């Protein structure tokens, strides 16, 4: 058996190599992004592992079919960038990693909420732009315990975020299209998203991207939110209309935003070896705002996450190549 790992980062390589040694399987790594041109690198391999948020197109699956490759194991959760029907039509089975470390993303969301609630960005701006370093009444923040946190999406990540926010004393409300039983009064579900928009001081997003929630957060929603509200997005960039978010932040419709996922994420954003400078006007504008914390899709990035993403992905490939049915099959 031979496997190939696309889009490999330096931090993943030790885990890939260890997995290969432990299972006595040949695993080749490449930094290449998987697309119709680079699929040829997979010729002669039994399966492909990949990590990218750019599209997996029908043309790509046709190319994999021609190469005789029928197994694609993602190292991430999201499948909104995959043409599932094209994969099926070309007899390519797909797996994902539905839970590599919910704690990692949940902790990052809470970190962003703390950073923005305590106005650390304004302190950094004073130091970096004005070259001053002193106390200011303008830096007065708010305790998490005096705020209502609205969590949208109560899967593994959302539930862990709720646990952490509750640990800090927050009043937590939540919305999910498919609500679960709530034990111990940790939070309460609301019936409508509008309740989250209107009642929350902090809104933390933890749902997948779907056609129904494309640009869910737009100008109308920002107008419904509290003027002191903080939006945290560690889910998917398409859920938030970037232009409307910028207007809401500049006009005072909302107070702050923590943004780890962006619309139209480029290959360069995912390339840890890239040295290209930022040219996107929206990114530049957001990066200069003291009421914004902007990170390059890094909420997941802990040693535990990387290890699990690699191991679960390669385990899934091994199972499929041996004729088995992995638990993480995407249908």
């Amino acid at each position: 058996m031979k496997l190939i790992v696309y889009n490999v980062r330096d931090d993943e390589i030790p885990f890939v190599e260890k997995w290969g040694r432990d299972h006595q399987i040949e695993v080749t790594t490449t930094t290449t992004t998987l697309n119709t041109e680079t699929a040829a690198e997979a010729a002669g391999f039994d399966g492909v592992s990949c990590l990218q948020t750019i599209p997996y197109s029908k043309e790509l699956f046709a190319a994999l079919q021609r190469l005789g490759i029928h197994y694609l194991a993602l190292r991430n959760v999201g499948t909104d960038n995959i043409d599932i029907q094209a994969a099926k039509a070309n007899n390519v089975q797909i797996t994902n990693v539905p839970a590599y470390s919910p704690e990692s993303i949940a902790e990052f969301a809470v970190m962003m909420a703390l950073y923005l609630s305590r106005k650390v960005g304004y302190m950094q701006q004073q130091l970096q732009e004005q070259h001053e370093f002193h106390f200011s009444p303008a830096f007065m923040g708010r305790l998490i315990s005096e705020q209502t946190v609205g969590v949208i999406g109560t899967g593994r990540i959302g539930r862990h975020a709720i646990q952490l926010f509750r640990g800090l004393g927050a009043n937590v409300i939540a919305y999910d299209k498919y609500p679960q039983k709530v034990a111990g009064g940790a939070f309460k579900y609301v019936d409508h998203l509008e309740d989250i928009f209107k009642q929350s001081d902090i809104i933390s997003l933890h749902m997948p991207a779907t056609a129904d929630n494309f640009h869910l957060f737009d100008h109308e929603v920002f107008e419904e939110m509290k003027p002191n509200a903080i939006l945290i997005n560690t889910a998917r960039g398409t859920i938030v209309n970037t232009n409307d978010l910028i207007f809401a932040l500049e006009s005072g419709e909302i107070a702050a935003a923590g943004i780890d996922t962006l619309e139209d994420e480029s290959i360069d954003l995912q390339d840890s070896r890239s040295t290209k400078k930022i040219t996107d006007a929206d990114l530049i504008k957001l990066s200069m705002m003291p009421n914004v914390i902007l990170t390059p899709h890094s909420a997941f990035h802990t040693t535990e996450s990387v290890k699990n993403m690699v191991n679960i992905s390669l385990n899934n490939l091994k199972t499929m190549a041996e004729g088995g049915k992995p638990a993480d099959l995407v249908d």
Side-chain angles (χ1 to χ4, degrees):
M1 185 186 304
K2 293 171 57 182
L3 307 176
I4 183 168
V5 178
Y6 277 79
N7 303 89
V8 74
R9 300 188 311 265
D10 292 341
D11 57 299
E12 294 179 301
I13 291 174
F15 297 109
V16 172
E17 292 177 343
K18 184 178 186 304
W19 187 94
R21 290 193 303 270
D22 290 346
H23 293 85
Q24 297 184 328
I25 292 175
E26 180 182 343
V27 185
T28 297
T29 61
T30 175
T31 61
T32 306
T33 298
L34 181 61
N35 54 43
T36 52
E37 288 76 29
T38 62
E41 291 186 35
F45 287 88
D46 298 294
V48 172
S49 170
C50 200
L51 173 64
Q52 62 191 51
T53 58
I54 62 173
Y56 297 80
S57 65
K58 62 181 181 180
E59 292 81 10
L60 171 60
F61 289 115
L64 293 177
Q65 166 82 312
R66 288 193 296 270
L67 292 167
I69 294 172
H70 302 293
Y71 311 119
L72 172 64
L74 308 180
R75 301 196 297 282
N76 56 286
V77 179
T79 59
D80 52 289
N81 56 327
I82 295 176
D83 190 330
I84 300 293
Q85 294 306 313
K88 290 180 179 179
N90 287 281
N91 195 26
V92 178
Q93 294 185 61
I94 298 173
T95 61
N96 67 346
V97 183
Y100 40 81
S101 177
E103 300 88 347
S104 298
I105 298 172
E107 285 185 7
F108 203 86
V110 174
M111 177 276 293
M112 284 182 151
L114 285 164
Y115 178 100
L116 295 166
S117 291
R118 298 303 301 270
K119 297 190 176 180
V120 177
Y122 291 91
M123 302 177 198
Q124 293 296 301
Q125 183 186 58
Q126 182 201 71
L127 181 62
Q128 295 169 3
E129 295 183 9
Q130 302 172 29
H131 305 294
E132 298 177 2
F133 190 58
H134 55 77
F135 173 85
S136 169
F139 298 157
M140 184 171 66
R142 301 183 68 195
L143 293 171
I144 298 296
S145 60
E146 64 176 344
Q147 300 185 70
T148 293
V149 177
V151 173
I152 305 179
T154 55
R156 296 179 180 91
I157 299 169
R159 291 197 306 273
H160 198 79
I162 289 170
Q163 180 183 344
L164 294 174
F165 279 119
R166 284 284 296 160
L168 291 169
N171 172 46
V172 179
I173 58 176
Y175 176 84
D176 198 300
K177 289 179 70 175
Y178 307 100
Q180 304 177 23
K181 288 186 178 180
V182 180
F187 67 98
K188 65 178 181 179
Y189 280 110
V190 295
D191 295 326
H192 306 286
L193 274 170
E194 288 74 15
D195 297 324
I196 296 285
F197 304 152
K198 293 176 180 178
Q199 296 179 33
S200 302
D201 301 295
I202 298 169
I203 297 177
S204 193
L205 307 183
H206 299 289
M207 70 280 218
T210 65
D212 292 340
N213 63 33
F214 178 78
H215 281 184
L216 171 64
F217 281 79
D218 60 9
H219 181 62
E220 291 183 0
V221 168
F222 290 126
E223 283 188 319
E224 288 188 64
M225 292 168 61
K226 293 182 177 183
N228 68 331
I230 296 170
L231 177 66
I232 306 294
N233 186 11
T234 57
R236 276 289 187 265
T238 56
I239 298 169
V240 178
N241 183 314
T242 303
N243 288 331
D244 289 356
L245 173 64
I246 290 172
F247 179 85
L249 290 164
E250 291 181 330
S251 66
E253 284 180 346
I254 67 171
I259 308 162
D260 185 56
T261 56
L262 297 148
E263 291 188 85
D264 304 317
E265 290 183 353
S266 68
I267 294 174
D268 291 327
L269 180 67
Q270 301 165 49
D271 184 0
S272 60
R273 301 169 183 84
S274 175
T275 57
K276 290 187 177 180
K277 304 297 183 184
I278 297 174
T279 57
D280 184 280
D282 289 340
L283 275 179
I284 292 171
K285 184 172 287 188
L286 287 165
S287 71
M288 297 175 67
M289 294 182 179
N291 55 341
V292 171
I293 178 169
L294 184 66
T295 54
H297 211 135
S298 299
F300 77 94
H301 198 215
T302 61
T303 54
E304 182 69 12
S305 285
V306 175
K307 178 183 71 175
N308 290 341
M309 291 164 76
V310 168
N311 289 350
I312 294 171
S313 171
L314 294 176
N315 286 339
N316 285 335
L317 275 185
K318 180 176 180 290
T319 298
M320 289 189 289
E322 291 175 342
K325 183 178 180 180
D328 305 317
L329 196 64
V330 174
D331 189 357

